[in-house]
Amino acid sequence: MQVNLRIRRFNPEKDSKAYWGEFNLNDVDPTDTVLDVLNRVKWEIDGTLSLRRSCAHGVCGSDALRINGSNALACKTLVKRLGSGDSVKIQVEPILGLPVIKDLIVDMEPFMAHYREVLPYFINDSEPPENGRERLQSQEDRMRFDDTTKCILCACCTSSCPSFWANGQYVGPAAIVQAHRFIFDSRDEGAEERLAVVGDAFGVWRCRTNFNCTSACPRDIEVTEAIAQVKKVLTTGEI
Amino acid sequence: MSNLVLTIRESIRYRGRSGHWSWVAHRISGLAILLFLTIHVWDTANAHFAPNVYQWSVDVFKWPPVAIGEIPLMAAVLYHAFNGIRISILDYKPELWKHQKKSTQITWGLFLIIFVPIGIYMAYEMVHYWQELGDAWMKFPRLSDY
């Protein structure tokens, strides 16, 4: 099949503003991914195209892009899902709300700064069990935060959120998902500190429940549900 | 300011699903209600501070280009109310998120069922009122006459 590819281009050393670059590719397999198509452009047509990618299998989360208008991982999006017939139009842009460094690469530091704000690590200063083994947890307790352990920090959710576009100080869905993962962990003792971060003016109350994050998540995390659960903890005081 | 422009532009460009478009409609209807309330507080305050201006503003509300705006205002109030209830339910019952697509459809359905007859009735009453005014129906009330 043929692919007409529009890519948002921007080179800070040459361009005063971003523009659309157009590429036509023939003999694209319908089961090729958008990352395969972008790689063909970079390797065969224009080596100056800049994009971030690593594992190419939906694990590392480095190729989050805005594909045909909504966020997704380029390596998990098949060309055949973007259109049928002999010719498919694909539009690729960098994710929103983060500064563009070059072409499809954005500066992830503001996103990572919010991730660090929620203390995304296990906090427990009490003595470990006397037998020297691990802190035990029931299967039911483990399942409470099972969904939010799947996050790969790709930023698909945070950069799909209009509240984050409007104000970059909002911690964003990904940071709240990380906070949820530890707040609901029965072995963790840092919930109070994390709830103070996600409960302030730039925390969960900026969520407008529009479900863009849930739709964009390549790991199918129920992000909006996790945010609502944190909101509920803040209003009821019960974890 | 650039964030505001980006948010407005990309809210329209982003290919979100039903939740996204419900949010866009919620914001637009909320801003419409806010605009009306601002004007409403001003004109009602005039009943005390400048009764002639109050009477003039009441007649301006009856002037067809302004009066007709009451129909979309009613739409905004109804949609904002129904969607607000939907969002509150989803916030208090996170586990219901699986039904969010259906909940947006129910919200739009309820809105249409209630708004359409009200909108038709409002339009009918307005046309009837303007017919009674005869040739003066489009005459803009001048503040100096009050």
Side-chain angles (χ1 to χ4, degrees), chain A residues 20 66 68-71 91 93 96-97 160 162 165-168 208-212 214-216 222 225 228-229 231-232 235, chain B residues 3-4 6-7 9-21 23 27 86-87 90-98 100:
Chain A
W20 290 104
R66 189 173 171 192
N68 283 6
S70 55
N71 288 0
Q91 183 171 291
E93 301 163 74
L96 283 164
S160 73
W165 307 337
N167 193 329
R208 302 289 182 252
T209 322
N210 85 352
F211 289 92
N212 276 1
T214 304
S215 306
E222 292 151 9
E225 184 187 17
Q229 286 174 346
K231 284 179 184 172
K232 211 172 164 185
T235 49
Chain B
N3 277 5
L4 179 66
L6 178 135
T7 306
R9 189 186 66 217
E10 301 304 332
S11 294
I12 297 161
R13 283 190 70 233
Y14 193 84
R15 296 295 99 187
R17 297 183 190 171
S18 54
H20 178 73
W21 298 112
W23 172 78
R27 273 290 149 113
R86 180 186 76 90
I87 293 167
L90 286 171
D91 269 347
Y92 279 96
K93 292 281 178 193
E95 62 275 16
L96 293 180
W97 80 272
K98 291 176 183 69
Q100 83 92 6

Short mmCIF file of all heavy atoms in Angstrom, two decimals, chain A residues 20 66 68-71 91 93 96-97 160 162 165-168 208-212 214-216 222 225 228-229 231-232 235, chain B residues 3-4 6-7 9-21 23 27 86-87 90-98 100:
data_model
loop_
_atom_site.label_atom_id
_atom_site.label_comp_id
_atom_site.label_asym_id
_atom_site.label_seq_id
_atom_site.Cartn_x
_atom_site.Cartn_y
_atom_site.Cartn_z
N TRP A 20 5.07 21.57 7.96
CA TRP A 20 4.75 20.19 7.64
C TRP A 20 5.69 19.68 6.53
O TRP A 20 5.82 20.32 5.50
CB TRP A 20 3.31 20.06 7.14
CG TRP A 20 2.29 20.28 8.22
CD1 TRP A 20 1.52 21.38 8.41
CD2 TRP A 20 1.94 19.36 9.26
NE1 TRP A 20 0.72 21.23 9.51
CE2 TRP A 20 0.94 19.99 10.05
CE3 TRP A 20 2.35 18.08 9.62
CZ2 TRP A 20 0.37 19.38 11.17
CZ3 TRP A 20 1.78 17.47 10.72
CH2 TRP A 20 0.80 18.11 11.48
N ARG A 66 1.97 12.11 18.46
CA ARG A 66 0.57 12.38 18.15
C ARG A 66 0.34 11.91 16.72
O ARG A 66 0.86 12.51 15.77
CB ARG A 66 0.32 13.87 18.30
CG ARG A 66 -1.13 14.24 18.21
CD ARG A 66 -1.26 15.70 18.54
NE ARG A 66 -2.58 16.18 18.27
CZ ARG A 66 -2.88 17.47 18.26
NH1 ARG A 66 -1.94 18.36 18.47
NH2 ARG A 66 -4.10 17.86 18.02
N ASN A 68 -2.21 10.98 13.68
CA ASN A 68 -3.55 11.31 13.17
C ASN A 68 -4.42 11.96 14.26
O ASN A 68 -5.58 11.62 14.44
CB ASN A 68 -4.25 10.08 12.59
CG ASN A 68 -3.70 9.74 11.20
OD1 ASN A 68 -2.75 10.37 10.74
ND2 ASN A 68 -4.31 8.78 10.53
N GLY A 69 -3.81 12.86 14.97
CA GLY A 69 -4.57 13.70 15.90
C GLY A 69 -4.59 13.27 17.35
O GLY A 69 -4.90 14.08 18.21
N SER A 70 -4.30 11.99 17.64
CA SER A 70 -4.34 11.58 19.04
C SER A 70 -3.06 10.83 19.42
O SER A 70 -2.37 10.28 18.56
CB SER A 70 -5.58 10.73 19.33
OG SER A 70 -5.62 9.64 18.46
N ASN A 71 -2.79 10.80 20.71
CA ASN A 71 -1.52 10.25 21.19
C ASN A 71 -1.47 8.72 21.14
O ASN A 71 -2.47 8.06 21.45
CB ASN A 71 -1.26 10.69 22.64
CG ASN A 71 -0.91 12.15 22.73
OD1 ASN A 71 -0.86 12.85 21.72
ND2 ASN A 71 -0.66 12.62 23.93
N GLN A 91 -0.57 11.43 9.68
CA GLN A 91 -0.03 12.72 10.14
C GLN A 91 0.64 12.50 11.49
O GLN A 91 0.01 11.97 12.40
CB GLN A 91 -1.19 13.71 10.25
CG GLN A 91 -0.77 15.10 10.65
CD GLN A 91 -1.93 16.08 10.52
OE1 GLN A 91 -2.38 16.39 9.43
NE2 GLN A 91 -2.41 16.55 11.64
N GLU A 93 2.88 14.21 14.68
CA GLU A 93 3.33 15.45 15.35
C GLU A 93 3.95 15.09 16.69
O GLU A 93 3.67 14.02 17.24
CB GLU A 93 2.13 16.36 15.64
CG GLU A 93 1.34 16.78 14.43
CD GLU A 93 -0.03 17.32 14.83
OE1 GLU A 93 -0.09 18.44 15.35
OE2 GLU A 93 -1.03 16.61 14.62
N LEU A 96 1.97 17.06 22.86
CA LEU A 96 1.68 18.45 23.24
C LEU A 96 2.09 18.77 24.68
O LEU A 96 2.15 17.88 25.53
CB LEU A 96 0.18 18.70 23.11
CG LEU A 96 -0.36 18.90 21.71
CD1 LEU A 96 -1.87 18.74 21.72
CD2 LEU A 96 0.02 20.28 21.20
N GLY A 97 2.31 20.05 24.91
CA GLY A 97 2.50 20.55 26.27
C GLY A 97 3.93 20.49 26.76
O GLY A 97 4.23 20.94 27.86
N SER A 160 -1.87 14.33 26.57
CA SER A 160 -3.19 14.33 25.93
C SER A 160 -4.19 15.13 26.77
O SER A 160 -5.35 15.27 26.40
CB SER A 160 -3.72 12.90 25.75
OG SER A 160 -4.11 12.37 27.00
N PRO A 162 -5.90 18.32 28.35
CA PRO A 162 -6.04 19.76 28.13
C PRO A 162 -5.61 20.58 29.35
O PRO A 162 -5.11 21.69 29.20
CB PRO A 162 -7.54 19.95 27.85
CG PRO A 162 -7.99 18.63 27.36
CD PRO A 162 -7.16 17.62 28.09
N TRP A 165 -1.98 21.01 28.99
CA TRP A 165 -1.64 21.99 27.93
C TRP A 165 -1.80 23.41 28.48
O TRP A 165 -1.01 24.28 28.19
CB TRP A 165 -2.57 21.86 26.72
CG TRP A 165 -2.67 20.49 26.13
CD1 TRP A 165 -1.77 19.47 26.24
CD2 TRP A 165 -3.75 20.00 25.33
NE1 TRP A 165 -2.24 18.37 25.56
CE2 TRP A 165 -3.43 18.66 24.99
CE3 TRP A 165 -4.94 20.54 24.85
CZ2 TRP A 165 -4.27 17.88 24.20
CZ3 TRP A 165 -5.77 19.77 24.07
CH2 TRP A 165 -5.45 18.44 23.75
N ALA A 166 -2.87 23.60 29.27
CA ALA A 166 -3.17 24.95 29.76
C ALA A 166 -2.19 25.40 30.82
O ALA A 166 -1.85 26.58 30.90
CB ALA A 166 -4.60 24.99 30.32
N ASN A 167 -1.72 24.46 31.65
CA ASN A 167 -0.82 24.84 32.73
C ASN A 167 0.14 23.68 33.04
O ASN A 167 -0.26 22.67 33.59
CB ASN A 167 -1.63 25.20 33.98
CG ASN A 167 -0.78 25.88 35.03
OD1 ASN A 167 0.42 25.62 35.15
ND2 ASN A 167 -1.38 26.78 35.78
N GLY A 168 1.39 23.88 32.66
CA GLY A 168 2.40 22.84 32.83
C GLY A 168 2.75 22.54 34.28
O GLY A 168 3.47 21.58 34.56
N ARG A 208 -10.20 17.10 34.67
CA ARG A 208 -11.56 17.43 34.25
C ARG A 208 -12.35 16.20 33.78
O ARG A 208 -13.36 16.32 33.11
CB ARG A 208 -11.54 18.49 33.15
CG ARG A 208 -10.84 19.78 33.54
CD ARG A 208 -11.65 20.58 34.55
NE ARG A 208 -10.98 21.83 34.88
CZ ARG A 208 -10.39 22.07 36.05
NH1 ARG A 208 -10.37 21.13 36.98
NH2 ARG A 208 -9.81 23.21 36.29
N THR A 209 -11.81 15.02 34.08
CA THR A 209 -12.51 13.76 33.79
C THR A 209 -12.92 13.66 32.31
O THR A 209 -14.06 13.34 32.00
CB THR A 209 -13.75 13.62 34.71
OG1 THR A 209 -13.44 14.12 36.01
CG2 THR A 209 -14.18 12.17 34.86
N ASN A 210 -11.99 13.99 31.42
CA ASN A 210 -12.37 13.90 30.00
C ASN A 210 -11.84 12.64 29.30
O ASN A 210 -12.06 12.46 28.10
CB ASN A 210 -12.02 15.19 29.25
CG ASN A 210 -10.62 15.24 28.75
OD1 ASN A 210 -9.80 14.37 29.06
ND2 ASN A 210 -10.31 16.25 27.96
N PHE A 211 -11.15 11.79 30.05
CA PHE A 211 -10.78 10.45 29.60
C PHE A 211 -9.79 10.39 28.42
O PHE A 211 -9.57 9.34 27.86
CB PHE A 211 -12.03 9.62 29.24
CG PHE A 211 -12.82 9.23 30.46
CD1 PHE A 211 -13.86 10.03 30.91
CD2 PHE A 211 -12.53 8.07 31.16
CE1 PHE A 211 -14.58 9.69 32.04
CE2 PHE A 211 -13.25 7.73 32.29
CZ PHE A 211 -14.29 8.53 32.74
N ASN A 212 -9.19 11.53 28.02
CA ASN A 212 -8.16 11.47 26.98
C ASN A 212 -7.01 10.59 27.41
O ASN A 212 -6.44 9.85 26.60
CB ASN A 212 -7.62 12.88 26.69
CG ASN A 212 -8.48 13.65 25.71
OD1 ASN A 212 -9.50 13.14 25.26
ND2 ASN A 212 -8.09 14.87 25.40
N THR A 214 -7.01 8.00 29.48
CA THR A 214 -7.37 6.57 29.42
C THR A 214 -7.33 6.09 27.97
O THR A 214 -6.83 5.00 27.68
CB THR A 214 -8.77 6.35 30.02
OG1 THR A 214 -8.79 6.86 31.35
CG2 THR A 214 -9.15 4.88 30.05
N SER A 215 -7.85 6.91 27.05
CA SER A 215 -7.87 6.52 25.63
C SER A 215 -6.45 6.43 25.07
O SER A 215 -6.17 5.59 24.21
CB SER A 215 -8.65 7.53 24.79
OG SER A 215 -9.92 7.73 25.32
N ALA A 216 -5.55 7.31 25.54
CA ALA A 216 -4.21 7.39 24.94
C ALA A 216 -3.25 6.34 25.50
O ALA A 216 -2.26 6.01 24.84
CB ALA A 216 -3.63 8.79 25.17
N GLU A 222 -6.25 2.17 33.36
CA GLU A 222 -7.48 2.94 33.53
C GLU A 222 -7.13 4.21 34.31
O GLU A 222 -7.41 4.35 35.51
CB GLU A 222 -8.52 2.07 34.23
CG GLU A 222 -8.98 0.94 33.32
CD GLU A 222 -9.42 -0.31 34.06
OE1 GLU A 222 -9.53 -0.26 35.29
OE2 GLU A 222 -9.63 -1.33 33.40
N GLU A 225 -9.79 6.43 36.09
CA GLU A 225 -10.30 5.74 37.28
C GLU A 225 -9.30 5.88 38.43
O GLU A 225 -9.69 6.16 39.57
CB GLU A 225 -10.55 4.26 36.98
CG GLU A 225 -11.17 3.54 38.16
CD GLU A 225 -11.29 2.03 37.98
OE1 GLU A 225 -10.62 1.48 37.10
OE2 GLU A 225 -12.05 1.41 38.73
N ALA A 228 -9.53 9.32 39.83
CA ALA A 228 -10.76 9.46 40.63
C ALA A 228 -10.61 8.76 41.98
O ALA A 228 -11.13 9.24 42.99
CB ALA A 228 -11.95 8.90 39.86
N GLN A 229 -9.88 7.65 42.01
CA GLN A 229 -9.66 6.94 43.28
C GLN A 229 -8.81 7.80 44.22
O GLN A 229 -9.06 7.83 45.43
CB GLN A 229 -9.00 5.59 43.03
CG GLN A 229 -9.97 4.56 42.45
CD GLN A 229 -9.28 3.26 42.06
OE1 GLN A 229 -8.06 3.19 41.99
NE2 GLN A 229 -10.07 2.23 41.80
N LYS A 231 -8.69 11.10 44.11
CA LYS A 231 -9.59 12.19 44.52
C LYS A 231 -10.46 11.73 45.69
O LYS A 231 -10.68 12.48 46.65
CB LYS A 231 -10.53 12.58 43.37
CG LYS A 231 -9.90 13.42 42.27
CD LYS A 231 -10.96 13.70 41.21
CE LYS A 231 -10.42 14.45 40.02
NZ LYS A 231 -11.40 14.56 38.92
N LYS A 232 -10.93 10.51 45.60
CA LYS A 232 -11.82 9.98 46.63
C LYS A 232 -11.08 9.82 47.96
O LYS A 232 -11.64 10.12 49.03
CB LYS A 232 -12.38 8.63 46.17
CG LYS A 232 -13.76 8.34 46.70
CD LYS A 232 -14.34 7.11 46.07
CE LYS A 232 -15.52 6.62 46.86
NZ LYS A 232 -16.05 5.36 46.34
N THR A 235 -10.90 13.18 49.55
CA THR A 235 -12.15 13.72 50.10
C THR A 235 -12.64 12.90 51.30
O THR A 235 -13.21 13.47 52.23
CB THR A 235 -13.26 13.76 49.03
OG1 THR A 235 -13.32 12.49 48.37
CG2 THR A 235 -13.02 14.84 48.02
N ASN B 3 -0.19 29.59 26.20
CA ASN B 3 -0.80 28.34 26.64
C ASN B 3 -2.31 28.35 26.39
O ASN B 3 -2.89 27.32 26.07
CB ASN B 3 -0.55 28.12 28.14
CG ASN B 3 0.81 27.51 28.38
OD1 ASN B 3 1.59 27.34 27.46
ND2 ASN B 3 1.10 27.21 29.63
N LEU B 4 -2.92 29.53 26.55
CA LEU B 4 -4.37 29.64 26.34
C LEU B 4 -4.69 29.39 24.86
O LEU B 4 -5.60 28.62 24.54
CB LEU B 4 -4.86 31.03 26.77
CG LEU B 4 -6.34 31.30 26.58
CD1 LEU B 4 -7.18 30.40 27.48
CD2 LEU B 4 -6.67 32.76 26.85
N LEU B 6 -2.82 27.78 22.69
CA LEU B 6 -2.52 26.37 22.40
C LEU B 6 -3.66 25.47 22.88
O LEU B 6 -4.10 24.57 22.17
CB LEU B 6 -1.21 25.96 23.07
CG LEU B 6 -0.78 24.51 22.90
CD1 LEU B 6 0.70 24.45 22.55
CD2 LEU B 6 -1.02 23.67 24.15
N THR B 7 -4.15 25.75 24.09
CA THR B 7 -5.20 24.89 24.66
C THR B 7 -6.49 24.98 23.84
O THR B 7 -7.11 23.95 23.55
CB THR B 7 -5.47 25.29 26.12
OG1 THR B 7 -4.24 25.27 26.83
CG2 THR B 7 -6.43 24.32 26.79
N ARG B 9 -6.78 25.96 20.62
CA ARG B 9 -6.56 25.40 19.28
C ARG B 9 -6.49 23.87 19.32
O ARG B 9 -7.15 23.18 18.54
CB ARG B 9 -5.25 25.97 18.71
CG ARG B 9 -5.01 25.64 17.25
CD ARG B 9 -3.63 26.13 16.83
NE ARG B 9 -2.58 25.39 17.52
CZ ARG B 9 -1.44 25.94 17.93
NH1 ARG B 9 -1.20 27.21 17.75
NH2 ARG B 9 -0.53 25.19 18.54
N GLU B 10 -5.71 23.34 20.26
CA GLU B 10 -5.49 21.90 20.28
C GLU B 10 -6.70 21.14 20.85
O GLU B 10 -6.88 19.96 20.56
CB GLU B 10 -4.22 21.55 21.05
CG GLU B 10 -2.97 22.18 20.47
CD GLU B 10 -2.75 21.85 18.99
OE1 GLU B 10 -3.19 20.79 18.54
OE2 GLU B 10 -2.14 22.68 18.29
N SER B 11 -7.52 21.81 21.66
CA SER B 11 -8.75 21.15 22.13
C SER B 11 -9.65 20.84 20.95
O SER B 11 -10.40 19.86 20.96
CB SER B 11 -9.50 22.05 23.12
OG SER B 11 -8.74 22.21 24.29
N ILE B 12 -9.59 21.69 19.93
CA ILE B 12 -10.39 21.46 18.72
C ILE B 12 -9.70 20.46 17.81
O ILE B 12 -10.32 19.58 17.23
CB ILE B 12 -10.65 22.79 17.99
CG1 ILE B 12 -11.47 23.72 18.90
CG2 ILE B 12 -11.36 22.58 16.66
CD1 ILE B 12 -11.42 25.18 18.51
N ARG B 13 -8.34 20.57 17.72
CA ARG B 13 -7.60 19.70 16.79
C ARG B 13 -7.43 18.27 17.34
O ARG B 13 -7.33 17.32 16.56
CB ARG B 13 -6.20 20.27 16.54
CG ARG B 13 -6.18 21.45 15.57
CD ARG B 13 -4.74 21.79 15.20
NE ARG B 13 -4.14 20.78 14.37
CZ ARG B 13 -2.98 20.18 14.64
NH1 ARG B 13 -2.30 20.48 15.71
NH2 ARG B 13 -2.49 19.26 13.82
N TYR B 14 -7.36 18.12 18.66
CA TYR B 14 -7.08 16.80 19.22
C TYR B 14 -8.23 15.83 18.90
O TYR B 14 -9.40 16.16 19.09
CB TYR B 14 -6.87 16.88 20.74
CG TYR B 14 -6.26 15.61 21.31
CD1 TYR B 14 -4.89 15.40 21.28
CD2 TYR B 14 -7.07 14.61 21.83
CE1 TYR B 14 -4.33 14.23 21.77
CE2 TYR B 14 -6.52 13.43 22.32
CZ TYR B 14 -5.15 13.25 22.28
OH TYR B 14 -4.60 12.08 22.75
N ARG B 15 -7.87 14.66 18.41
CA ARG B 15 -8.91 13.67 18.04
C ARG B 15 -9.24 12.82 19.26
O ARG B 15 -8.91 11.64 19.33
CB ARG B 15 -8.43 12.78 16.89
CG ARG B 15 -8.16 13.45 15.56
CD ARG B 15 -9.41 14.02 14.95
NE ARG B 15 -9.47 15.46 15.22
CZ ARG B 15 -10.48 16.24 14.94
NH1 ARG B 15 -11.55 15.76 14.39
NH2 ARG B 15 -10.45 17.52 15.21
N GLY B 16 -9.89 13.44 20.23
CA GLY B 16 -10.30 12.69 21.42
C GLY B 16 -11.58 11.93 21.15
O GLY B 16 -12.15 12.02 20.06
N ARG B 17 -12.03 11.21 22.16
CA ARG B 17 -13.28 10.44 22.00
C ARG B 17 -14.41 11.19 22.69
O ARG B 17 -14.31 12.38 22.95
CB ARG B 17 -13.08 9.04 22.54
CG ARG B 17 -12.01 8.30 21.74
CD ARG B 17 -11.82 6.87 22.20
NE ARG B 17 -10.63 6.30 21.56
CZ ARG B 17 -10.11 5.14 21.89
NH1 ARG B 17 -10.65 4.41 22.83
NH2 ARG B 17 -9.03 4.69 21.27
N SER B 18 -15.47 10.48 23.03
CA SER B 18 -16.68 11.13 23.54
C SER B 18 -16.41 12.01 24.77
O SER B 18 -16.97 13.10 24.90
CB SER B 18 -17.74 10.09 23.86
OG SER B 18 -17.22 9.12 24.75
N GLY B 19 -15.52 11.54 25.65
CA GLY B 19 -15.22 12.30 26.87
C GLY B 19 -14.60 13.65 26.55
O GLY B 19 -14.90 14.67 27.19
N HIS B 20 -13.74 13.67 25.52
CA HIS B 20 -13.07 14.91 25.13
C HIS B 20 -14.09 15.93 24.61
O HIS B 20 -14.07 17.09 25.00
CB HIS B 20 -12.02 14.61 24.06
CG HIS B 20 -11.31 15.84 23.55
ND1 HIS B 20 -10.37 16.51 24.30
CD2 HIS B 20 -11.42 16.52 22.40
CE1 HIS B 20 -9.92 17.54 23.61
NE2 HIS B 20 -10.54 17.58 22.45
N TRP B 21 -14.99 15.48 23.74
CA TRP B 21 -15.95 16.41 23.14
C TRP B 21 -16.99 16.84 24.18
O TRP B 21 -17.49 17.98 24.10
CB TRP B 21 -16.59 15.80 21.90
CG TRP B 21 -15.53 15.54 20.87
CD1 TRP B 21 -15.08 14.34 20.41
CD2 TRP B 21 -14.70 16.53 20.22
NE1 TRP B 21 -14.04 14.51 19.53
CE2 TRP B 21 -13.78 15.84 19.39
CE3 TRP B 21 -14.63 17.92 20.27
CZ2 TRP B 21 -12.83 16.50 18.62
CZ3 TRP B 21 -13.67 18.58 19.50
CH2 TRP B 21 -12.80 17.87 18.69
N TRP B 23 -16.19 17.35 27.25
CA TRP B 23 -15.45 18.35 28.00
C TRP B 23 -15.44 19.69 27.25
O TRP B 23 -15.64 20.75 27.85
CB TRP B 23 -14.01 17.87 28.24
CG TRP B 23 -13.13 18.92 28.82
CD1 TRP B 23 -13.08 19.32 30.12
CD2 TRP B 23 -12.19 19.73 28.12
NE1 TRP B 23 -12.17 20.33 30.26
CE2 TRP B 23 -11.61 20.61 29.06
CE3 TRP B 23 -11.78 19.81 26.78
CZ2 TRP B 23 -10.64 21.55 28.71
CZ3 TRP B 23 -10.82 20.74 26.43
CH2 TRP B 23 -10.25 21.60 27.39
N ARG B 27 -17.05 23.13 28.63
CA ARG B 27 -16.32 24.40 28.77
C ARG B 27 -17.05 25.53 28.03
O ARG B 27 -17.20 26.64 28.55
CB ARG B 27 -14.90 24.25 28.18
CG ARG B 27 -13.89 23.72 29.17
CD ARG B 27 -13.64 24.79 30.20
NE ARG B 27 -13.32 24.21 31.49
CZ ARG B 27 -12.14 24.30 32.08
NH1 ARG B 27 -11.16 24.92 31.49
NH2 ARG B 27 -11.95 23.78 33.26
N ARG B 86 -23.07 14.06 35.45
CA ARG B 86 -22.35 12.89 34.93
C ARG B 86 -20.92 12.85 35.47
O ARG B 86 -20.44 11.82 35.97
CB ARG B 86 -22.33 12.92 33.40
CG ARG B 86 -21.62 11.76 32.76
CD ARG B 86 -21.50 11.94 31.25
NE ARG B 86 -20.48 12.89 30.89
CZ ARG B 86 -19.21 12.58 30.65
NH1 ARG B 86 -18.82 11.32 30.74
NH2 ARG B 86 -18.33 13.50 30.33
N ILE B 87 -20.23 14.00 35.41
CA ILE B 87 -18.83 14.06 35.86
C ILE B 87 -18.75 13.79 37.37
O ILE B 87 -17.87 13.06 37.83
CB ILE B 87 -18.21 15.43 35.52
CG1 ILE B 87 -18.09 15.59 34.01
CG2 ILE B 87 -16.83 15.58 36.16
CD1 ILE B 87 -17.79 17.00 33.58
N LEU B 90 -19.07 10.11 38.04
CA LEU B 90 -17.85 9.38 37.68
C LEU B 90 -16.72 9.65 38.67
O LEU B 90 -15.87 8.79 38.92
CB LEU B 90 -17.41 9.75 36.26
CG LEU B 90 -18.26 9.15 35.14
CD1 LEU B 90 -17.86 9.75 33.79
CD2 LEU B 90 -18.10 7.63 35.07
N ASP B 91 -16.69 10.86 39.24
CA ASP B 91 -15.65 11.17 40.23
C ASP B 91 -15.90 10.45 41.55
O ASP B 91 -14.96 10.02 42.22
CB ASP B 91 -15.60 12.68 40.48
CG ASP B 91 -14.60 13.38 39.55
OD1 ASP B 91 -13.81 12.66 38.92
OD2 ASP B 91 -14.63 14.61 39.45
N TYR B 92 -17.18 10.31 41.92
CA TYR B 92 -17.49 9.65 43.20
C TYR B 92 -17.59 8.14 43.08
O TYR B 92 -17.50 7.42 44.06
CB TYR B 92 -18.76 10.24 43.81
CG TYR B 92 -18.47 11.53 44.52
CD1 TYR B 92 -18.66 12.75 43.90
CD2 TYR B 92 -17.94 11.52 45.82
CE1 TYR B 92 -18.34 13.94 44.54
CE2 TYR B 92 -17.62 12.69 46.46
CZ TYR B 92 -17.83 13.90 45.82
OH TYR B 92 -17.50 15.07 46.45
N LYS B 93 -17.81 7.65 41.86
CA LYS B 93 -17.86 6.21 41.63
C LYS B 93 -16.87 5.85 40.53
O LYS B 93 -17.26 5.58 39.38
CB LYS B 93 -19.29 5.79 41.21
CG LYS B 93 -20.33 5.93 42.31
CD LYS B 93 -20.24 4.77 43.27
CE LYS B 93 -21.24 4.92 44.41
NZ LYS B 93 -20.96 3.96 45.49
N PRO B 94 -15.56 5.88 40.85
CA PRO B 94 -14.53 5.65 39.82
C PRO B 94 -14.74 4.36 39.03
O PRO B 94 -14.41 4.29 37.84
CB PRO B 94 -13.23 5.57 40.63
CG PRO B 94 -13.52 6.28 41.90
CD PRO B 94 -14.98 6.07 42.18
N GLU B 95 -15.32 3.35 39.70
CA GLU B 95 -15.48 2.06 39.04
C GLU B 95 -16.48 2.12 37.88
O GLU B 95 -16.54 1.21 37.06
CB GLU B 95 -15.90 0.97 40.05
CG GLU B 95 -17.24 1.20 40.73
CD GLU B 95 -17.16 2.10 41.96
OE1 GLU B 95 -16.14 2.80 42.14
OE2 GLU B 95 -18.13 2.11 42.73
N LEU B 96 -17.25 3.19 37.80
CA LEU B 96 -18.23 3.32 36.71
C LEU B 96 -17.59 3.83 35.42
O LEU B 96 -18.29 4.04 34.44
CB LEU B 96 -19.37 4.27 37.12
CG LEU B 96 -20.29 3.79 38.24
CD1 LEU B 96 -21.36 4.84 38.52
CD2 LEU B 96 -20.95 2.48 37.87
N TRP B 97 -16.25 4.06 35.42
CA TRP B 97 -15.61 4.64 34.24
C TRP B 97 -15.87 3.80 32.98
O TRP B 97 -15.91 4.33 31.88
CB TRP B 97 -14.11 4.78 34.46
CG TRP B 97 -13.36 3.51 34.25
CD1 TRP B 97 -13.13 2.55 35.17
CD2 TRP B 97 -12.81 3.04 33.01
NE1 TRP B 97 -12.46 1.50 34.60
CE2 TRP B 97 -12.26 1.78 33.27
CE3 TRP B 97 -12.74 3.55 31.71
CZ2 TRP B 97 -11.63 1.04 32.28
CZ3 TRP B 97 -12.12 2.81 30.73
CH2 TRP B 97 -11.58 1.57 31.02
N LYS B 98 -16.08 2.49 33.18
CA LYS B 98 -16.29 1.60 32.02
C LYS B 98 -17.53 2.00 31.23
O LYS B 98 -17.68 1.66 30.07
CB LYS B 98 -16.41 0.14 32.48
CG LYS B 98 -15.12 -0.43 33.02
CD LYS B 98 -15.29 -1.83 33.56
CE LYS B 98 -14.00 -2.34 34.15
NZ LYS B 98 -13.63 -1.64 35.40
N GLN B 100 -18.41 5.11 30.71
CA GLN B 100 -18.34 6.55 30.43
C GLN B 100 -18.84 6.91 29.04
O GLN B 100 -19.48 7.94 28.86
CB GLN B 100 -16.93 7.09 30.71
CG GLN B 100 -15.90 6.92 29.64
CD GLN B 100 -15.85 8.12 28.74
OE1 GLN B 100 -16.51 9.12 28.99
NE2 GLN B 100 -15.07 7.99 27.67
#
